[in-house]
Structures are given as structure tokens and as C-alpha cells.
Amino acid sequence: MARRVGIYTRISRDDEGEALGVARQQQDCERLADLRSWQAVKVYEDNDVSAFKRNVVREEFELMLKDLRAGLIDGIVAYDLDRLARQPRDLERLIEIYDERPRLEFATVTNDINIGTPDGRTMARIMVAFANKSSHDASRRIQRKHLELAQQGKDSGGPAPYGWQKDDRTKVDPEAAKAIREAQREILAGVRIGTIRTRWQEQGLGNPRAGTKRMAHHHVEHILTNPRLVGYRTYHGEILYGEDGQPVRGEWEPINTLDEWEAVCAAIAERKQKHPGKMLARKYLLSGIARCGLCKTKIRGQVNQKWQPGSKAARFTYQCSVVNGGCGKVGRVGDPVDKLIAQLVLEEQRARAAVTEVPFDQRWPKDAELEQVNEDIAQLVEAERSKQITVATLLQLLPAKERERDELKLERARFYKEQKQAEAKGEARNMTVDEFLALPVERQQEIVLHSLSAVIIHPAGRGRRKFDPSLIEPVWR
């Protein structure tokens, strides 16, 4: 009976996402398996995955080890030993399994190393140690090159970040930039990143290399707060500063102005501080806003289990629940309540806007003060460089100026955050009710809470009744 083997293929980078490298490895491994009269039963493919980086988990490699230990396959065929392991600890895990099952098969296309034998294991350990050193040396050279490029404001290559054109990383992709700006306005208007992530996933935005994989929350957050959006160059995830103390500017077109970007960053940071680890998702407009007219307990929306698309039954209801500490005596069909509240709130905000028009284009009044502090810092650094003052004197004077600069920058971020939030929420006054109800529910709630502190739902009595708007009492701010 032919021995059943698994084929392992891996390539560290596949910028185009076409998997051509691993496909060539698979063909050569299948040819070798045929020559050995082995049956290739499964291909374990780690495409675009590093074997050197310690924080990277190779899912297919882990699955292969599991199958090998469980006896589902009788050996491994790989293109080269360094496709399997570039960290000695990974090789030792593989050798441990071959110790437990001495009859396992092993072969590589490029050499005749066999970790099933003592001599082969010794040679494999030496080769992986050299491969590891080679990766370390290459990593050190690459890091030095990337730092030099970063200091010059140049790009480091690789796939274009979302927002810029694939064939020219210096040019903005108009459609992607539009999606980013719209998502940022939604953040300022109260929409959760999770809601944006779901919509982007459905529309194929934000992560073109992810294919069918679910987009991570932190990935969307990074896209919307990336310093690259305002032209800042980063290194290892941090904004890189030049010798003059100012952020290094990159050689690409920005998408945001500084005040827009700082406002979004401040809004996201503030939300994390207010609700650390808290689930902010809402399904219904008045959840947490509506209250029972009898016991004044908060009423929450709940889906009607009998509802089916196209049926006449209510899609959801607002119900005072005993489980939540209420009396359980008040409930109302949800859709007409939402439409009524939307209509009242939009009318109130239009009337308010007609009386007092809020200016959204005011500049932060301390721009000149921050510019002066930055100039003072640059002068101190230059004075030490030209030997006009000592390093000790510089270190005595610099911290106070840096604290003043950081406090002013934080104040500027808060100023523009509040301004942009007011602008985003103010857009609602020109909406129709249908346009309002088509918004994400978090944004609907932000608009409602701008006008209302609560909605009292009074009891309607027994039996089926026509919806009575007079039993819905908005509590205006």
C-alpha cells in the first residue's frame, strides 16, 4: 500500500496574491512523491506567511504537525527545508514527532536531508541555524534601509495602503478616499467601527487582499486613524520626527487635513476611555432611550418571533420587561414609534438651525501659540547642536516645552473633534424620515439624543388599537 504523505508549501511574500510561487512548489513536490511511489493526500499551503517572525502563526503548518502526530499522514514532502522551518524551535517540534513515529517518510526537492535519521537531523539543525542567521542578517539590513527611507519621507514599498492607488502609492485612489472620509464622518456622528467594518466587508472595501476572510476591527481602525492620511511618515507604527522636532512628511498625496484626522483620532480614543471593553452595538433606535409610562423603567426593543418578510405582523416591538425590572404592562409596535420620533426630531432640529446657525469653520484660537512652542523647541535643539548650550542645559529646558506642546496638541484635537462632531450631527436637519431610518442605528441614536433625553411610552389599554401618537411623549432637552 502506498505511503500517504502531505505536501507542505510556503512563500514569505506574495504581494500580488496570485499564489504562483506555492503552486510551483506543489508541482515539484508532487513529482517527487510520484518518483518515491508515495500518495500525496493533502497539500498544506501557507502563502504569504513568514516562517522567521516569532509572532506569526502558520495555520497550515500547525495543522500538518497535528495530522502527522495523529497518523493521518505518513510523512512530509517539501520543496526545501527552509520552507518548513527558519526557527530552530519549529524544527525541533517536527523532529519530536519523527522520534515518536520512526517509520515516517520525509523528503525535499532541493536536497537529500532526511530528518528520519540521526545524521539527517544533525544536518537539518545546522541548516536551519544558518537559515535563521541569514534571516536575522537580512532583517537587520532591511530595517536599516527602511529607517533611512522613512527619514527621507520615502515609501518602503510593498502593497499600497488602502486609500492610495495600487500602481502608484503616491497618488490617492478617489473611490477609496471617499469611503475613508465617509467612514470618518460616521465615526464623528457616533457610528461604531464594527458597523463600518460590516458594511465594508459586504461592499469589498478596506482590505482588497483579504478575499473572503473577515476584516479585523483593528484593521479598520488603523485605516481611519493612519498618520499617512495627513502625510506623516511612520516607522514601526509610530510617527517619525525629524531633527527639527517636526513630523517627517511623506512623498504622497494626503487624504485628510490635520484637523480632520486629529478629530477622528480623538473621537475613537475618547470612546475607548468611556466604554473600555463594552459592547456598544444597538439594534433598535429607542433601546435605552424609551421608558415605560407606568413604572418609568427603560424599555428595550425585541424582535417579534412570528414576523416573516412580507407578513403583516410587527417586525419588532418596544416592551417593558419584568426581566429588566419593569412592570411588563406596556408595549408598542416599534416601526410607527421610530417614524414618529424621527419626524419630530428632524423638525425640531430644522427649526433650531433656522434660529441659530452654528459655524463649523472656526480655526483653533491657539495656533500661533503652538507654532511658537514648536519654534522654541527647534531653537533649543539647534542651540545644543551648535554648542551654544550644553546637553545638560537642553535636558533641563526641553521637557517643560515638550509638555506644553503636547498639552496644546491635545487641546487642538479636542477642539476640532467637537467641531467636526457638531458638523456631522448637524447634517441630519436636511434629511427625510426615510433617509434618517436608512442610517446606521448608532448614528440615528446620536441624532435623537441631540434633541431628546427620553421617550415615554404610555399604555394604550387592552385589545388591538390604531397607533395613537399622543401616547408617545418625547422629553426634549
Side-chain angles (χ1 to χ4, degrees):
M1 182 178 178
R3 303 284 279 169
R4 299 167 304 164
V5 296
I7 292 175
Y8 182 76
T9 62
R10 182 188 68 80
I11 194 168
S12 297
R13 289 190 61 171
D14 181 14
D15 294 339
E16 301 301 324
E18 296 180 354
L20 298 178
V22 289
R24 289 191 293 268
Q25 292 179 28
Q26 179 180 336
Q27 290 174 0
D28 291 343
C29 290
E30 288 174 342
R31 191 176 299 114
L32 178 59
D34 289 340
L35 290 173
R36 301 285 181 96
S37 298
W38 296 339
Q39 180 186 1
V41 294
K42 182 170 175 57
V43 177
Y44 302 89
E45 178 186 299
D46 280 320
N47 187 44
D48 200 20
V49 180
S50 171
F52 173 69
K53 296 178 181 178
R54 290 180 176 270
N55 61 335
V56 173
V57 176
R58 291 185 285 160
E59 296 181 358
E60 289 295 295
F61 178 77
E62 297 298 329
L63 177 60
M64 181 186 69
L65 295 185
K66 184 178 179 181
D67 290 348
L68 199 62
R69 178 173 277 114
L72 299 179
I73 54 177
D74 301 319
I76 299 170
V77 178
Y79 183 78
D80 192 275
L81 187 62
D82 68 358
R83 299 302 88 199
L84 276 168
R86 276 186 171 264
Q87 288 289 353
R89 61 178 181 175
D90 287 339
L91 177 64
E92 293 303 325
R93 293 166 63 201
L94 189 58
I95 288 175
E96 182 182 334
I97 298 174
Y98 274 76
D99 276 335
E100 296 172 357
R101 301 184 61 202
R103 295 186 66 252
L104 288 175
E105 306 290 357
F106 183 85
T108 60
V109 173
T110 57
N111 52 54
D112 199 25
I113 299 296
N114 185 358
I115 62 173
T117 66
D119 290 344
R121 294 171 192 177
T122 300
M123 185 58 67
R125 288 181 173 115
I126 294 172
M127 293 178 68
V128 168
F130 273 100
N132 183 263
K133 182 182 184 304
S134 174
S135 294
H136 268 295
D137 293 341
S139 177
R140 184 173 62 251
R141 291 192 299 270
I142 291 170
Q143 286 182 10
R144 182 66 187 90
K145 175 187 175 183
H146 285 179
L147 176 58
E148 182 179 358
L149 290 173
Q151 291 169 335
Q152 297 171 0
K154 296 180 179 179
D155 245 329
S156 300
Y162 187 68
W164 286 266
Q165 297 177 13
K166 292 181 181 180
D167 55 349
D168 188 350
R169 296 165 56 98
T170 66
K171 301 294 184 183
V172 168
D173 179 342
E175 291 301 318
K178 180 181 177 182
I180 290 173
R181 293 192 190 101
E182 177 59 30
Q184 289 175 329
R185 283 195 293 271
E186 289 182 322
I187 290 291
L188 293 168
V191 178
R192 296 182 311 115
I193 288 178
T195 301
I196 296 169
R197 179 188 65 181
T198 301
R199 190 182 77 247
W200 276 14
Q201 186 75 30
E202 293 171 351
Q203 297 175 351
L205 301 175
N207 190 6
R209 298 182 67 211
T212 58
K213 293 182 180 178
R214 182 173 176 79
M215 218 185 311
H217 181 283
H218 67 83
H219 178 76
V220 179
E221 180 179 321
H222 173 71
I223 289 175
L224 300 180
T225 60
N226 190 353
R228 183 185 172 93
L229 294 169
V230 287
Y232 287 168
R233 185 61 166 90
T234 59
Y235 184 70
H236 286 179
E238 300 290 336
I239 296 174
L240 187 66
Y241 289 86
E243 294 182 353
D244 58 356
Q246 297 300 310
V248 175
R249 290 281 181 173
E251 299 177 341
W252 55 79
E253 296 177 356
I255 290 177
N256 286 143
T257 62
L258 181 60
D259 53 342
E260 291 171 340
W261 176 73
E262 286 188 337
V264 174
C265 293
I268 290 176
E270 182 182 63
R271 196 176 302 180
K272 286 182 177 179
Q273 292 174 352
K274 282 185 177 180
H275 311 284
K278 183 179 178 182
M279 175 61 73
L280 300 176
R282 298 282 192 183
K283 290 184 178 180
Y284 307 106
L285 171 61
L286 299 182
S287 290
I289 300 175
R291 289 184 177 270
C292 173
L294 293 178
C295 65
K296 302 304 185 288
T297 301
K298 285 185 178 181
I299 290 179
R300 303 188 185 279
Q302 60 184 37
V303 67
N304 186 346
Q305 300 296 334
K306 297 180 180 179
W307 180 79
Q308 295 292 334
S311 70
K312 295 183 179 181
R315 181 167 60 93
F316 72 98
T317 61
Y318 290 111
Q319 183 68 46
C320 181
S321 173
V322 177
V323 176
N324 294 324
C327 63
K329 298 179 180 179
V330 173
R332 193 73 82 256
V333 173
D335 284 322
V337 177
D338 284 0
K339 289 179 181 178
L340 173 65
I341 294 301
Q343 181 180 349
L344 294 175
V345 166
L346 294 176
E347 288 175 355
E348 188 271 342
Q349 293 192 6
R350 279 193 287 269
R352 188 193 306 175
V355 177
T356 57
E357 190 67 33
V358 181
F360 295 133
D361 57 352
Q362 289 182 353
R363 299 301 302 171
W364 183 53
K366 295 185 179 180
D367 267 329
E369 187 176 338
L370 177 57
E371 186 176 346
Q372 183 61 53
V373 172
N374 282 327
E375 187 176 335
D376 292 345
I377 292 173
Q379 289 176 351
L380 285 172
V381 173
E382 180 58 32
E384 188 279 327
R385 188 179 293 114
S386 60
K387 306 301 181 183
Q388 296 178 29
I389 61 174
T390 65
V391 174
T393 302
L394 174 67
L395 295 180
Q396 286 179 349
L397 300 174
L398 197 56
K401 287 292 183 181
E402 289 176 333
R403 281 195 299 272
E404 185 179 359
R405 176 200 63 194
D406 294 342
E407 288 172 0
L408 285 169
K409 288 175 69 175
L410 183 60
E411 185 179 331
R412 180 180 64 183
R414 289 198 194 99
F415 175 86
Y416 285 121
K417 174 187 71 73
E418 293 170 1
Q419 186 183 86
K420 296 296 179 182
Q421 283 180 328
E423 182 179 358
K425 294 171 184 175
E427 294 172 357
R429 58 179 178 248
N430 296 321
M431 291 181 182
T432 65
V433 172
D434 289 339
E435 289 172 339
F436 171 87
L437 294 174
L439 295 173
V441 70
E442 303 97 333
R443 190 171 179 190
Q444 293 179 26
Q445 286 198 329
E446 287 285 343
I447 294 171
V448 167
L449 289 172
H450 195 61
S451 298
L452 301 177
S453 59
V455 173
I456 308 298
I457 299 180
H458 295 284
R462 295 179 178 273
R464 299 185 60 164
R465 294 173 179 265
K466 185 178 179 181
F467 177 70
D468 185 355
S470 68
L471 298 178
I472 310 301
E473 178 187 352
V475 181
W476 302 99
R477 289 189 181 278

